[in-house]
Amino acid sequence: MPRWVFPLIILTIVITLVEIYTFQAFKTVSKSKIVRYSFLLVSIAVYINFFINIITYSRTEGQTAHFQMGVGLLLTISIPKLVIIILLFGEDAYRWVLKLFSAISSGETKSLVGRRKFISQIALGLAAIPFAAFIYGIIQGKYNYKVLKYQLSFKDLPDAFDGFTITQISDIHSGSFTNKEKIQYGVDLINQQKSDIMLFTGDIVNNKADEMDDWMDVFDKLEAKEGKYSILGNHDYGDYMDWEKPQDKIDNFQKVKDIHKKIGFDLLLDEHRYLEKDGQKIALVGVENWGKGFNQAGDLAKASANIKKEDFKILMSHDPSHWEYKVKEDPFNYQLTLSGHTHGLQIGIEIPGWIKWSPSKYVYKQWAGLYEEYGRYINVNRGFGYHAFPGRVGVWPEITVIELKKA
């Protein structure tokens, strides 16, 4: 028996119980069989589509648009059902308490109090919020580009770089794109920032170099006055696919690296460049991917060879776990690190000044935005594109603009 059969049976049982439970809310609120069974049929169709995607998934093809949409639809119907289950479970607990209290006080065992209609109405009303959010996230949220601006001050910043601006983008994931007009809008928004340099912090594709074929003419329009620099991300190595021959993976990796040059980026592979202005300079360091639990190809010592400790340094490293485990306490002192990778899981709740939450925070200590420890900073860009889930809910695609200031 294939290894996936038993987990699939368990999952089917869980889904069946969930559907039985949530169906009660519709049954309590609506007497229309059309409404009730339409809801049930839509759910069954989504589950069947997802299971077909799982069973037919091929690592030689990677994630197709159809697979991503299957994931998106499953989340769209599943998250709202969690809201319904939580409320109905709470009501059931209350009903059982009443029954137990009645049995103790009167000595008689009575039937459970009937499910109250208004509780089911509240459950369905609250469930409609995440349902609408996920629909929006799939249709429009993934193109809801946000420009986030930071001003960072450093005592050891050379005077000539006071006011120097950086635009950071990350995680393009071109293999997921479907709408050229929307992507062009995002690229135009990047160019409107008119920063001195542009830094791309990895994952230009999902797996294969040819994913960029239809998007080269869009991304080669990116502009920066003092140059464009880039690094690789974990997806750029082709590690998440089965290749027919080992040489195919090697050839693909070379093609991925060639993409950067074709769209005007200087790809840093464990190396550095000095940026010079008015006789002063800062070091731009770029490492290959280093991630906790992921490919650890990056060699920070190699990338920093011939750089002085007292030099002001900007480090590009795709995975923020590199900063957490290797960089932030490094005595060589990397003043500013730029990362991506997490996407903020593309799902969360962010209200500036009030709340910033995503399941991603339970995996990465630095999962989105700007962080500071030991007088050193890291910015974790939420990503320009999307992957796996074909949308964004509450965690929007990001264009970061950082202005360096002399303290």
Side-chain angles (χ1 to χ4, degrees):
M1 183 174 66
R3 295 172 60 185
W4 53 264
V5 171
F6 182 71
L8 188 61
I9 292 173
I10 298 297
L11 184 59
T12 302
I13 293 172
V14 171
I15 288 173
T16 301
L17 293 175
V18 167
E19 290 304 314
I20 290 173
Y21 215 78
T22 53
F23 185 73
Q24 294 179 36
F26 284 88
K27 186 177 179 180
T28 302
V29 170
S30 175
K31 303 302 180 183
S32 171
K33 290 185 177 180
I34 295 177
V35 172
R36 291 189 231 165
Y37 290 104
S38 293
F39 154 78
L40 196 57
L41 288 173
V42 168
S43 295
I44 292 172
V46 170
Y47 289 132
I48 291 174
N49 178 62
F50 179 73
F51 286 147
I52 290 174
N53 271 292
I54 292 295
I55 294 170
T56 60
Y57 178 78
S58 171
R59 278 182 60 91
T60 60
E61 295 182 11
Q63 288 189 13
T64 63
H66 188 264
F67 179 89
Q68 290 189 0
M69 186 54 68
V71 172
L73 292 176
L74 181 69
L75 289 173
T76 300
I77 68 166
S78 298
I79 302 300
K81 287 175 184 176
L82 289 178
V83 176
I84 295 173
I85 288 173
I86 290 170
L87 286 174
L88 294 193
F89 181 80
E91 184 190 20
D92 282 348
Y94 174 73
R95 293 160 71 202
W96 278 102
V97 167
L98 286 182
K99 180 177 180 177
L100 181 62
F101 180 78
S102 176
I104 293 173
S105 60
S106 65
E108 299 180 3
T109 302
K110 296 183 179 180
S111 300
L112 280 175
V113 176
R115 190 174 294 285
R116 289 169 291 183
K117 184 176 181 179
F118 84 93
I119 295 294
S120 294
Q121 289 174 328
I122 292 173
L124 289 173
L126 291 176
I129 297 173
F131 179 78
F134 272 82
I135 293 295
Y136 172 81
I138 292 173
I139 296 174
Q140 184 60 37
K142 59 190 176 186
Y143 306 121
N144 187 23
Y145 302 105
K146 299 297 183 184
V147 178
L148 302 185
K149 298 186 176 184
Y150 303 103
Q151 187 180 87
L152 301 180
S153 298
F154 301 91
K155 291 181 179 180
D156 51 353
L157 180 72
D159 293 338
F161 287 88
D162 184 29
F164 192 78
T165 53
I166 303 164
T167 288
Q168 180 199 2
I169 56 174
S170 193
D171 298 88
I172 288 175
H173 286 286
S174 56
S176 301
F177 291 157
T178 57
N179 189 319
K180 203 158 194 174
E181 182 181 349
K182 297 291 188 180
I183 303 305
Q184 182 64 64
Y185 165 75
V187 168
D188 291 342
L189 189 58
I190 295 170
N191 284 335
Q192 287 172 20
Q193 307 315 308
K194 299 187 182 301
S195 293
D196 292 302
I197 61 169
M198 186 176 300
L199 304 180
F200 170 61
T201 47
D203 277 358
I204 201 165
V205 295
N206 292 341
N207 295 291
K208 300 170 71 175
D210 60 14
E211 294 168 11
M212 268 295 285
D213 288 353
D214 293 334
W215 308 99
M216 299 283 277
D217 61 336
V218 176
F219 286 94
D220 68 2
K221 303 297 190 300
L222 288 170
E223 301 172 348
K225 291 177 285 187
E226 303 295 331
K228 303 183 293 184
Y229 302 87
S230 59
I231 57 171
L232 298 173
N234 57 300
H235 280 269
D236 296 324
Y237 293 82
D239 290 341
Y240 305 110
M241 286 186 62
D242 289 334
W243 301 88
E244 291 186 12
K245 296 177 293 185
Q247 188 61 43
D248 291 342
K249 182 179 179 181
I250 295 172
D251 293 342
N252 181 76
F253 186 43
Q254 184 58 52
K255 291 177 181 177
V256 168
K257 290 187 285 188
D258 291 342
I259 289 171
H260 293 254
K261 184 176 181 180
K262 291 178 180 179
I263 61 174
F265 279 81
D266 182 0
L267 178 62
L268 304 185
L269 300 169
D270 289 339
E271 51 192 327
H272 67 272
R273 304 284 186 268
Y274 272 113
L275 307 176
E276 297 190 16
K277 194 172 183 182
D278 298 337
Q280 296 180 317
K281 61 185 181 180
I282 62 176
L284 177 63
V285 184
V287 295
E288 291 197 49
N289 188 74
W290 192 104
K292 187 70 172 176
F294 287 88
N295 185 332
Q296 296 185 356
D299 188 334
L300 185 58
K302 177 183 176 183
S304 303
N306 301 317
I307 293 178
K308 298 176 182 178
K309 181 178 180 180
E310 60 268 22
D311 287 338
F312 186 89
K313 295 172 284 292
I314 299 172
L315 171 65
M316 293 192 292
S317 182
H318 177 69
D319 191 318
S321 65
H322 190 207
W323 190 77
E324 175 64 22
Y325 292 101
K326 296 290 184 180
V327 176
K328 70 179 185 181
E329 295 183 64
D330 192 307
F332 204 56
N333 187 24
Y334 296 88
Q335 289 91 337
L336 173 62
T337 299
L338 302 178
S339 297
H341 181 64
T342 70
H343 300 209
L345 208 66
Q346 297 171 208
I347 298 171
I349 303 172
E350 292 193 79
I351 303 175
W354 290 86
I355 185 172
K356 178 183 174 182
W357 178 88
S358 164
S360 185
K361 70 177 293 183
Y362 304 115
V363 181
Y364 292 93
K365 185 177 179 181
Q366 299 83 25
W367 60 273
L370 192 67
Y371 302 83
E372 183 267 334
E373 288 187 52
Y374 307 107
R376 302 165 188 181
Y377 291 89
I378 181 173
N379 182 66
V380 184
N381 185 286
R382 294 162 178 82
F384 181 86
Y386 50 92
H387 180 61
F389 170 56
R392 284 180 175 267
V393 179
V395 180
W396 312 120
E398 176 180 341
I399 300 162
T400 311
V401 178
I402 297 174
E403 182 182 12
L404 304 180
K405 296 296 290 182
K406 178 74 175 182

